[in-house]
Amino acid sequence: MNGARIRRLVDAGMTVCLFFLMGFPFFGMEAHMAAGAGFFLLLFVHHWLNRRWAPSLRRGRWNAVRRLTAGANLALFLVMAALLWSSLILARPTVPFLPRLGSMMLGREMHMAAAYWGFLVMGFHIGLHGDMFASMTRKLSAGKKKILSAAASLFALYGAYAFWSRGWTGALFLQSEYVFFDFKEAKLLYYVDHAAILALCIWLGWQAMLGARQLQRRK
C-alpha cells in the first residue's frame, strides 16, 4: 500500500470519527470517549505522515498560497490543541490519574467551542486540497462535471441554511451554555445537515485557494 493511499485511509477514518463525535448524544459518553481517542490517534498518524511539511516552511518564498495554507494549518493546530486539552479535563472523573488541567466548567465551554470550530476549520482545510477531488472526476465528461459541480454547490448552499437553522453561532461563540439536541430527530437528517455544513466549509476552502492562486499569478 503506497503512502498516498494510506493518507486517504487515515483522512477518511478521521472524517468518520468526526461525524460520530458530533452526534455524541446518540451513542453515549463511553462511545464518545473511545471515538475521541481514535480520532486523536489518527490525527497523530496524519501529522507523522506529513512530518516533512513543517521543516519545509524554512525554504522557498512565502506567496499567497503558502500563507493561506500555513494560516489554516495553524488555526487547525490551535483548535485541536484546545480540543485535546478540554478532552483531558472532561475525562478526568473517569480516568483519575490524568493531571488536573482546569475546572469542569472550563472544560465544557472549551470543548464545545473547540469541537464546533474544529469541524469548520477541518472542512476548510480539506477544501484547500480541492485538487484531490478534481482528480477523481478527471475521467468524467464535461457535462457530468458540470452537473456534479452544480450539485455540490447546491449542497454547500444548503449547508449555509443548516448552519443558521441549527444555531451554530451559539456554540461557536459560547452564546449558550449547552447545545440543544432533539433526540426525536432522525439520525439521517442530523448527519445530512452536518455533511452539508462540512461541504460548505470545503467549498469556502477551495474558493480561498483559487483566490490565492489568482493573486499569486498577478505578482
Side-chain angles (χ1 to χ4, degrees):
M1 187 180 294
N2 58 37
R5 186 167 185 179
I6 293 175
R7 285 185 176 87
R8 287 196 293 268
L9 288 174
V10 170
D11 292 347
M14 289 174 61
T15 304
V16 171
C17 286
L18 181 66
F19 274 91
F20 185 88
L21 290 166
M22 293 302 291
F24 78 94
F26 285 129
F27 308 105
M29 186 54 67
E30 289 185 3
H32 185 73
M33 291 177 65
F39 175 82
F40 280 111
L41 177 61
L42 290 171
L43 184 63
F44 174 80
V45 174
H46 174 86
H47 282 290
W48 184 82
L49 291 171
N50 295 279
R51 61 192 180 278
R52 293 192 180 98
W53 178 80
S56 71
L57 296 176
R58 293 175 294 182
R59 301 186 296 272
R61 295 179 57 189
W62 278 81
N63 52 39
V65 171
R66 200 174 195 186
R67 290 192 184 96
L68 174 63
T69 304
N73 286 345
L74 176 60
L76 189 57
F77 172 79
L78 294 175
V79 171
M80 290 297 110
L83 193 58
L84 178 59
W85 187 355
S86 60
S87 297
L88 294 175
I89 293 175
L90 296 177
R92 195 172 186 277
T94 307
V95 190
F97 61 80
L98 290 174
R100 187 182 297 276
L101 300 173
S103 66
M104 293 299 289
M105 177 63 74
L106 172 66
R108 280 195 298 269
E109 291 182 347
M110 185 189 298
H111 199 72
M112 181 172 68
Y116 280 81
W117 276 111
F119 190 88
L120 301 182
V121 177
M122 279 190 69
F124 188 87
H125 173 79
I126 294 170
L128 296 179
H129 302 278
D131 290 327
M132 174 182 64
F133 298 103
S135 66
M136 296 178 184
T137 64
R138 64 180 181 273
K139 294 183 180 180
L140 297 178
S141 65
K144 289 181 179 179
K145 286 182 181 179
K146 288 182 179 179
I147 293 173
L148 188 60
S149 177
S153 298
L154 288 174
F155 193 52
L157 184 62
Y158 174 74
Y161 166 77
F163 178 91
W164 173 80
S165 64
R166 289 189 176 272
W168 270 50
T169 54
L172 291 171
F173 300 104
L174 295 176
Q175 295 172 346
S176 56
E177 188 174 349
Y178 298 99
V179 176
F180 173 75
F181 194 87
D182 184 5
F183 287 92
K184 296 180 181 179
E185 181 181 16
K187 292 180 183 178
L188 179 61
L189 178 59
Y190 181 85
Y191 280 114
V192 165
D193 279 8
H194 281 69
I197 294 171
L198 187 69
L200 172 64
C201 295
I202 292 172
W203 182 85
L204 290 173
W206 178 234
Q207 295 306 309
M209 176 57 73
L210 293 178
R213 288 176 179 175
Q214 187 175 13
L215 181 63
Q216 184 175 315
R217 285 194 294 266
R218 290 177 180 174
K219 292 185 178 181

